[in-house]
Amino acid sequence: MRIVIAGGHGQIALRLERLLAARGDEVAGIIRKPEQGDDLRAAGAEPVVLDLESASVEEVAQQLRGADGAVFAAGAGPGSGTARKDTVDRGAAVLFADAAVRAGVRRFVVVSSMGADPHHEGDGVFDVYQRAKGEADAYVQGLDSLDWTILRPGALTDDAGTGLVRLEARTGRGPVPRDDVAAVLAELLDSPATSGLTLELISGSAPVAVAVKAVAGN
């Protein structure tokens, strides 16, 4: 498969790129800074320099044409203010989804956030973030042209992955290693029966493949 990942230099994205490349997939990662390219190449991915805050739908669609799947894993990052929560966490996600529709890419997986809610109240940076992610999720959920799956991980850690997770519509809060998030994303890309599902993810007791198979088609 050819997979295009938005936010290709993110911590989860780099892990996912390594997993996909190792299993023989062709992977492209969209990045904003050319100097990030070497990290993507080391992970086995092709770097594509494109700023999702200023690119047009057609420019992004050009990078998506011919892909078998797309993953939105971009984020403004913890050091950013409220303005970029809107332009990246909401705006870039909407742009990437529209570009996937235009390019004819149906399989579309979103890395969201537990607690994302378009109606989340508050003016703090994290409040704006949760609202922006919720608005982006709601937009994707309304696109019949995409076979979308939305993944909402719990508190991300850099602990080594265990390969054991809990993946359900509602899990309750808890931690999960980024390694395991990446493993679940790779499995979801191969599981179109999970289309139309919004799933929460924390560490648990089920092997990744078993957890994904259990929710597929529900």
Side-chain angles (χ1 to χ4, degrees):
M1 294 199 299
R2 174 173 171 81
I3 307 297
V4 179
I5 302 171
H9 195 257
Q11 295 186 66
I12 290 171
L14 286 168
R15 289 167 167 83
L16 177 58
E17 287 155 4
R18 284 191 285 270
L19 289 176
L20 295 176
R23 75 183 193 185
D25 289 336
E26 182 183 341
V27 191
I30 296 176
I31 54 176
R32 195 161 53 93
K33 300 176 181 177
E35 58 268 27
Q36 297 171 336
D38 286 346
D39 290 338
L40 269 73
R41 293 184 191 94
E46 167 201 349
V48 176
V49 180
L50 189 65
D51 187 347
L52 294 178
E53 288 179 272
S54 60
S56 68
V57 172
E58 181 55 34
E59 285 173 327
V60 182
Q62 287 176 8
Q63 302 302 328
L64 282 163
R65 287 193 174 93
D68 301 291
V71 179
F72 185 80
S80 58
T82 56
R84 294 198 70 230
K85 303 303 183 193
D86 183 67
T87 57
V88 179
D89 293 294
R90 184 200 61 79
V94 168
L95 173 74
F96 197 59
D98 286 344
V101 172
R102 182 173 294 197
V105 179
R106 290 204 62 95
R107 191 73 182 110
F108 194 85
V109 180
V110 177
V111 183
S112 184
S113 171
M114 194 174 288
D117 180 354
H119 305 295
H120 185 92
E121 297 181 355
D123 298 320
V125 173
F126 190 69
D127 296 318
V128 174
Y129 169 75
Q130 291 289 62
R131 192 160 55 245
K133 293 296 283 186
E135 289 171 350
D137 290 355
Y139 186 83
V140 171
Q141 289 163 342
L143 293 175
D144 293 336
S145 298
L146 295 180
D147 296 329
W148 54 264
T149 303
I150 293 171
L151 183 66
R152 294 177 171 171
L156 299 170
T157 75
D158 288 325
D159 297 338
T162 65
L164 299 173
V165 299
R166 182 179 175 192
L167 180 70
E168 298 170 16
R170 294 285 183 272
T171 61
R173 294 190 178 274
V176 61
R178 288 178 172 87
D179 287 349
D180 290 335
V181 178
V184 169
L185 289 169
E187 194 71 27
L188 288 173
L189 283 165
D190 275 350
S191 305
T194 61
S195 297
L197 298 181
T198 301
L199 301 165
E200 294 183 350
L201 173 69
I202 58 175
S203 291
S205 57
V208 167
V210 173
V212 171
K213 188 175 181 179
V215 298
N218 291 340

